[in-house]
Amino acid sequence: MLTEISAIAPQDTGEDTAVQIDGVSKSFSGTVALEPIRLKVRRGEFLTLLGPSGCGKTTLLNLIAGFLEADEGELFIDHDLVTQVPPHQRKIGIVFQNYALFPHMSVAQNVAYGLRTRRVPKAETAERVREALALVKLEDFADRRPRQLSGGQQQRVALARALVIRPRVLLLDEPFSALDRNLRSAMQVELREIQSRLGLTTVFVTHDQSEALSMSDRIAVMSRGRIRQIGTPSQIYDRPENHFVSTFVGDANLFAATLLEKTDATASLDIGTTRLSLATFQEELPEPGPVTLFVRPEQCSLTDPDQPGAIAATVALSVYQGSYAELHLDCSVAENGRVMLRVPASEAMEPGTDVGIALPERGPAIYTTTERET
Amino acid sequence: MRKSVLDHLLDWSGRIVLISILGFVLLPFVVVAIASLNDGAILSFPPKSWSLRWYANAFEYRDFGAGLVNSLRIAAVGATIALIAGAGFAYVFNRYDFMFKGLLNTVLMSPLIIPNFTIGLGLLILSTAASLPRSIWLVIAVHVVIVLPFVVRSVYVSLKNFERRYEQAAESLGGTPLHVLLTITLPLLLPGLISGALFAAILSFNEFTASLYVVNQRTQTLPVAMYNYVREYADPTLAALSVIYVAPVAAMLLLVHKFFRLEKVLNVD
Ligand SMILES: Nc1ncnc2c1ncn2[C@@H]1O[C@H](COP(=O)(O)OP(=O)(O)OP(=O)(O)O)[C@@H](O)[C@H]1O
Ligand SMILES: [Mg+2]
């Protein structure tokens, strides 16, 4: 028995892993919701699962929580194998989008629930409930019913209820999507503060990329039941590894191009009639042939249309955004016919103006065109 | 905002329609209530002279008192058994998949299509074949079979609308499945359970056809006692009793209303 367990125990990689997901997959009556997932969440880390609707984020969270049984693979929490452990023994804190506060209990009773199930003595329970409510600034609301609270307050009660049991991992499934914009950013800051103060390992689910970029230590970008890239927000934004990630996170300009030749440092391509030589951050480039060239708006600049190396475009629309203006350009070699870049508001141009787009020599990425998907 | 003439018209016609519907529903009761005050010994309408003597007669007639006690006992015990069994079935149906689920469902729901007298007759033949005494338990058994489908339906619907996230949250907080059932699921389902039991009790209290087969002099229910009375006498006692009859049903509804808001229980909220 012992040897069996040690055979599948996670290897010590030096850094402390709080959650290890080892080839866990899930199908629902034949439809694959999650391909085998490999993922390590570090202790104290704020990890975000980011992806479009239906990509399997909630499924993955439910597997970690134990509400679903994995088809295959193993799951470790704090190095314990928990694949077969029922949810009530996993010691995981959960916050749902709709809060799921128990409507027949007061705020204090809601928060105390996880202590009562563990038979924590009365005095200690009262003390810890008070602490937890203080943490989310709701000391004065202990005797209210959940329906007598605003959405933001209910969200905080849900957070206090999950934190009071001192969970090994905190899971949050789109907790802020029902809140209005101001409240949402306030709650984001508050959650992040509490999380880092407690050093709490956190897995956060969202389909809001700006929420993911601003809150996370690392982001796992998912699509169609797979993790497409995992890295820090700046790695995800600046060095997207594939077509999907590049378009899902941040704004992207994509050009249909032909890769002619690649060397270690540079690639030469044709974009329409323009020939360019570029250096990318990628370690591996696709094979020569039709490719997609990816450039962030802030990496593009405007030049004269006749400038060598410039890509011809026409201003279609200028959108005033206060401190800057978004220029939407018609461009025949762009994959969707449009290119967007930002200019100071004072430099906005009239629709119909012919311009040239200058691409940077370093920074853009080249993806195989076949990889396009949602 | 000021109301236009059309709004007023709609308002008034709406009220009139509502009152007509209410009147139509209540009409039989009103007629019976008036007839019960007739002084004459023949049930006639409208009465020529007035009296309360038939009420006194209804209270004095021994079979009615005994029938009422029987009916209340049968309704209470039958509804309780139906609630426990029905809630159990509904829970299993909602949460588990198993072989012959569809078949079992059909069997459970069949009392809805099988006439009550068939159920009564069937159980009578069975109990005679098994030489069981014709006790009150036989009547209760018949009533449970008849009301069970309503309880199963009612609880099943509440379970279907039940937010599973409550249970998941409770489980993640360390609640064992049994603890979660007792502290979260059951309390939140209580209105559905109460409404199921309430309907069961009222249906049972009103049941006549099946009861007729399985009662004897000692176990006869109030409706059966009334039937036996009307075969012998045609005076307004029954009309008086019909008015009195409303009282226990109204009491049941009021009792529930005291603890839960009736609108919620009856799902009209
Ligand atoms: N209980 C279930 N039965 C059948 N299919 C399911 C079930 N739960 C999820 N799925 C399917 O699995 C896929 C992933 O669903 P999941 O809820 O994990 O997506 P998600 O990323 O959380 O999406 P969203 O952002 O909309 O919440 C979807 O295609 C969904 O239809
Ligand atoms: Mg989801």
Side-chain angles (χ1 to χ4, degrees):
Chain A
M1 249 348 252
L2 262 175
T3 48
E4 254 180 71
I5 289 174
S6 54
I8 47 174
Q11 298 96 16
D12 196 356
T13 52
E15 85 204 348
D16 200 1
T17 305
V19 181
Q20 177 169 343
I21 299 161
D22 232 353
V24 166
S25 73
K26 184 73 193 172
S27 300
F28 293 106
S29 50
T31 331
V32 179
L34 272 187
E35 307 271 354
I37 294 281
R38 276 175 204 293
L39 176 65
K40 284 182 183 169
V41 188
R42 298 169 192 154
R43 191 176 308 285
E45 166 176 57
F46 193 110
L47 180 94
T48 297
L49 303 177
L50 172 68
S53 186
C55 71
K57 307 181 294 289
T58 299
T59 304
L60 184 53
L61 221 57
N62 283 340
L63 284 163
I64 299 175
F67 302 141
L68 288 175
E69 225 174 283
D71 295 342
E72 54 176 338
E74 304 290 358
L75 183 76
F76 300 88
I77 296 175
D78 283 351
H79 304 289
D80 297 334
L81 178 64
V82 297
T83 318
Q84 304 294 335
V85 174
H88 67 272
Q89 289 168 357
R90 290 195 182 187
K91 212 175 178 214
I92 284 178
I94 300 187
V95 176
F96 297 113
Q97 178 184 349
N98 60 1
Y99 323 129
L101 297 178
F102 308 132
H104 57 307
M105 297 184 191
S106 71
V107 166
Q109 286 169 331
N110 264 278
V111 178
Y113 191 89
L115 300 174
R116 306 241 321 267
T117 59
R118 294 188 166 79
R119 298 179 203 287
V120 174
K122 269 216 163 71
E124 189 189 340
T125 300
E127 177 59 25
R128 280 169 69 176
V129 167
R130 220 165 32 76
E131 268 172 29
L133 285 177
L135 194 66
V136 295
K137 304 184 191 116
L138 282 178
E139 300 102 312
D140 300 336
F141 295 81
D143 297 325
R144 295 250 195 125
R145 287 288 160 130
R147 66 170 169 279
Q148 297 170 314
L149 302 179
S150 72
Q153 290 166 337
Q154 291 185 34
Q155 190 57 265
R156 284 183 207 180
V157 177
L159 187 60
R161 184 176 71 176
L163 291 178
V164 80
I165 63 168
R166 297 176 188 148
R168 299 195 284 186
V169 187
L170 179 64
L171 307 177
L172 304 106
D173 195 351
E174 311 206 19
F176 304 140
S177 53
L179 305 179
D180 70 46
R181 221 175 134 209
N182 287 334
L183 193 55
R184 189 184 318 178
S185 31
M187 286 296 296
Q188 285 169 356
V189 173
E190 212 174 306
L191 171 64
R192 201 51 235 256
E193 270 175 15
I194 292 172
Q195 184 270 340
S196 50
R197 182 143 35 106
L198 302 179
L200 199 60
T201 309
T202 303
V203 180
F204 182 89
V205 163
T206 182
H207 57 244
D208 179 340
Q209 43 134 331
S210 71
E211 188 167 85
L213 288 172
S214 65
M215 294 188 74
S216 320
D217 291 322
R218 284 194 305 157
I219 299 173
V221 184
M222 296 179 63
S223 87
R224 293 190 183 170
R226 285 186 294 155
I227 293 179
R228 303 305 310 273
Q229 183 175 357
I230 178 159
T232 63
S234 84
Q235 279 168 348
I236 299 286
Y237 186 82
D238 295 329
R239 299 163 158 248
E241 274 167 14
N242 49 58
H243 195 292
F244 173 79
V245 174
S246 74
T247 49
F248 191 74
V249 181
D251 295 309
N253 293 319
L254 300 167
F255 299 95
T258 309
L259 181 60
L260 302 172
E261 203 187 343
K262 56 178 183 177
T263 66
D264 276 355
T266 59
S268 64
L269 334 107
D270 273 344
I271 305 172
T273 53
T274 316
R275 180 156 300 185
L276 282 177
S277 188
L278 298 170
T280 79
F281 60 78
Q282 288 162 295
E283 276 160 24
E284 244 180 281
L285 288 173
E287 290 307 305
V291 292
T292 299
L293 178 70
F294 152 81
V295 197
R296 291 271 180 224
E298 58 272 21
Q299 294 174 319
C300 301
S301 51
L302 288 178
T303 60
D304 207 59
D306 310 324
Q307 192 78 22
I311 296 166
T314 313
V315 177
L317 186 69
S318 162
V319 181
Y320 179 67
Q321 295 281 18
S323 58
Y324 63 91
E326 270 177 21
L327 283 187
H328 294 262
L329 311 175
D330 280 329
C331 175
S332 59
V333 292
E335 273 192 353
N336 54 6
R338 276 285 166 89
V339 172
M340 192 271 278
L341 44 86
R342 300 190 181 92
V343 296
S346 57
E347 291 169 30
M349 273 177 275
E350 287 301 306
T353 316
D354 285 329
V355 295
I357 303 167
L359 299 182
E361 278 166 19
R362 301 189 61 82
I366 297 165
Y367 306 121
T368 52
T369 303
T370 49
E371 217 183 355
R372 286 166 64 184
E373 57 169 294
T374 46
Chain B
M1 208 176 69
R2 280 195 53 211
K3 283 186 169 180
S4 70
V5 179
L6 186 70
D7 283 337
H8 277 293
L9 212 64
L10 282 175
D11 244 30
W12 277 105
S13 54
R15 267 175 228 184
I16 289 165
V17 169
L18 200 70
I19 289 168
S20 329
I21 293 175
L22 269 180
F24 187 70
V25 170
L26 292 177
L27 192 63
F29 181 73
V30 174
V31 170
V32 170
I34 294 172
S36 71
L37 298 169
N38 189 355
D39 186 45
I42 307 287
L43 200 54
S44 67
F45 190 85
K48 296 189 181 64
S49 55
W50 307 86
S51 147
L52 281 174
R53 66 188 180 111
W54 304 114
Y55 283 86
N57 192 38
F59 277 112
E60 276 157 22
Y61 193 70
R62 293 263 315 274
D63 275 7
F64 291 160
L68 176 66
V69 171
N70 279 338
S71 274
L72 288 176
R73 278 166 68 194
I74 291 164
V77 177
T80 308
I81 294 173
L83 176 66
I84 294 167
F89 279 127
Y91 190 82
V92 170
F93 271 103
N94 180 250
R95 297 297 165 85
Y96 302 98
D97 267 319
F98 48 88
M99 269 204 296
F100 308 123
K101 188 170 169 175
L103 184 70
L104 183 59
N105 188 34
T106 315
V107 171
L108 268 180
M109 293 304 147
S110 59
L112 287 175
I113 36 171
I114 297 176
N116 284 10
F117 60 79
T118 315
I119 295 170
L121 185 59
L123 279 176
L124 175 64
I125 295 170
L126 261 181
S127 71
T128 315
S131 25
L132 293 172
R134 285 175 74 173
S135 70
I136 198 162
W137 289 103
L138 180 61
V139 191
I140 290 173
V142 169
H143 282 219
V144 167
V145 169
I146 290 170
V147 302
L148 194 60
F150 295 93
V151 180
V152 173
R153 275 287 137 205
S154 150
V155 178
Y156 185 79
V157 168
S158 328
L159 271 172
K160 255 213 130 87
N161 296 331
F162 186 74
E163 175 61 81
R164 289 295 288 275
R165 290 292 196 201
Y166 290 131
E167 292 171 330
Q168 294 185 337
E171 275 177 56
S172 78
L173 293 167
T176 59
L178 181 66
H179 187 73
V180 173
L181 181 72
L182 294 179
T183 58
I184 306 294
T185 319
L186 278 180
L188 290 179
L189 285 180
L190 207 53
L193 296 177
I194 295 287
S195 93
L198 179 70
F199 280 125
I202 292 176
L203 281 175
S204 156
F205 194 70
N206 286 331
E207 210 293 322
F208 167 67
T209 346
S211 309
L212 192 57
Y213 288 90
V214 288
V215 298
N216 57 22
Q217 181 58 31
R218 217 170 26 79
T219 62
Q220 68 178 336
T221 60
L222 186 54
V224 174
M226 290 166 75
Y227 170 74
N228 287 334
Y229 185 90
V230 86
R231 289 204 307 184
E232 290 184 43
Y233 314 99
D235 59 43
T237 307
L238 271 192
L241 189 60
S242 303
V243 175
I244 302 169
Y245 198 98
V246 175
V249 176
M252 281 189 235
L253 287 169
L254 279 178
L255 197 69
V256 173
H257 190 58
K258 195 166 150 20
F259 294 106
F260 307 92
R261 284 179 44 245
L262 195 59
E263 297 88 328
K264 208 168 154 190
V265 172
L266 294 178
N267 270 330
V268 291
D269 194 8

